[in-house]
Amino acid sequence: MTTTVDFWFDPTCPWCWITSRWIGEVQKVRDIQVRWRPFSLSVLNEGRDLDPGYRAMMDNAWGPARVVAAAAQLHGNDALKPLYDALGEQIHHQQNTAQGDKYLPAIEAALAEAKLPSELVNYATTDEYDEPLRASVAQALEKVGDDVGVPLIAIDGVAFFGPVLSPSPRGEEAGKVFDGAVALASYPGFFELKRTRTVGPIFHGEDGDAQ
């Protein structure tokens, strides 16, 4: 039986990126259907009293989220995964993240890699598709509550924050972790499972090794 996974992502979040790589591994070893959905930490943190450094990050993070939302509206949801893959490579692996540019160089490179029109970069600095972006964020928060961020997934409609992983498991190990998540999601009384992180984001390189 196919398990449906909804995955809300902000392209600038390294933890979300690692979890998305895990889901990609799960697709190889389990029968799942993944529906990729835009999310924006910038929307989530609007009006909140933030540390100035984090506020600057949130101001910068509008660009990729807005371009993802525009791509979904203009080119359909099938465009989201290739664009997210390309943005993640640029932002998290290539470190194409100059502050103050709303990730415009990273977006331009990602659009080319995903074979999407270069003109989409213009939406990084406009609010034209903020309404559907906000709607996608609201849909996620309606399912899970507003005291979360990303990664944020729903398994057959049951949503929760996480899992937060570092590095992402591979192969059958990824499948075993997913089986555990499915089991937790199947219990109506499950709400939270957490421990303090002892490592930062660990990404896999092209050869599969953590780096």
Side-chain angles (χ1 to χ4, degrees):
M1 182 176 177
T2 301
T3 300
T4 299
V5 176
D6 292 285
F7 195 112
W8 284 269
F9 66 94
D10 183 307
T12 66
C13 176
W15 299 104
C16 189
W17 174 249
I18 293 173
T19 302
S20 74
R21 300 309 92 182
W22 162 66
I23 284 292
E25 287 292 304
V26 175
Q27 287 182 293
K28 301 174 185 177
V29 295
R30 296 293 186 271
D31 183 12
I32 69 170
Q33 176 189 11
V34 184
R35 298 185 296 205
W36 300 91
R37 301 187 181 279
F39 194 89
S40 171
L41 291 171
S42 302
V43 170
L44 180 67
N45 284 288
E46 276 186 314
R48 295 183 177 181
D49 184 16
L50 303 177
D51 172 85
Y54 192 68
R55 169 57 63 196
M57 290 173 58
M58 291 299 95
D59 290 344
N60 209 35
W62 277 105
R66 282 172 161 166
V67 170
V68 166
Q73 294 299 307
L74 297 174
H75 299 278
N77 285 341
D78 287 346
L80 293 187
K81 179 58 162 51
L83 179 56
Y84 183 30
D85 288 345
L87 283 167
E89 173 64 28
Q90 287 296 317
I91 294 171
H92 304 299
H93 292 273
Q94 301 301 321
Q95 296 294 302
N96 196 352
T97 56
Q99 291 297 310
D101 61 11
K102 299 197 183 298
Y103 296 94
L104 296 183
I107 294 168
E108 290 170 346
L111 289 172
E113 183 178 340
K115 297 180 171 55
L116 289 167
S118 60
E119 293 79 9
L120 282 172
V121 72
N122 296 326
Y123 293 104
T125 53
T126 76
D127 61 3
E128 185 168 348
Y129 290 103
D130 279 11
E131 184 175 345
L133 177 60
R134 293 178 186 278
S136 186
V137 172
Q139 180 191 40
L141 298 182
E142 183 179 357
K143 289 180 174 292
V144 76
D146 61 2
D147 58 343
V148 299
V150 287
L152 200 164
I153 68 173
I155 298 176
D156 286 336
V158 179
F160 49 83
F161 169 70
V164 176
L165 307 162
S166 185
S168 60
R170 297 297 185 96
E172 181 56 27
E173 187 175 27
K176 289 169 61 178
V177 173
F178 182 74
D179 294 342
V182 171
L184 289 171
S186 70
Y187 178 60
F190 168 69
F191 296 103
E192 186 173 354
L193 186 68
K194 186 175 183 179
R195 65 173 178 162
T196 300
R197 294 194 297 263
T198 58
V199 298
I202 300 173
F203 305 122
H204 287 290
E206 291 184 1
D207 58 0
D209 292 334
Q211 58 181 25

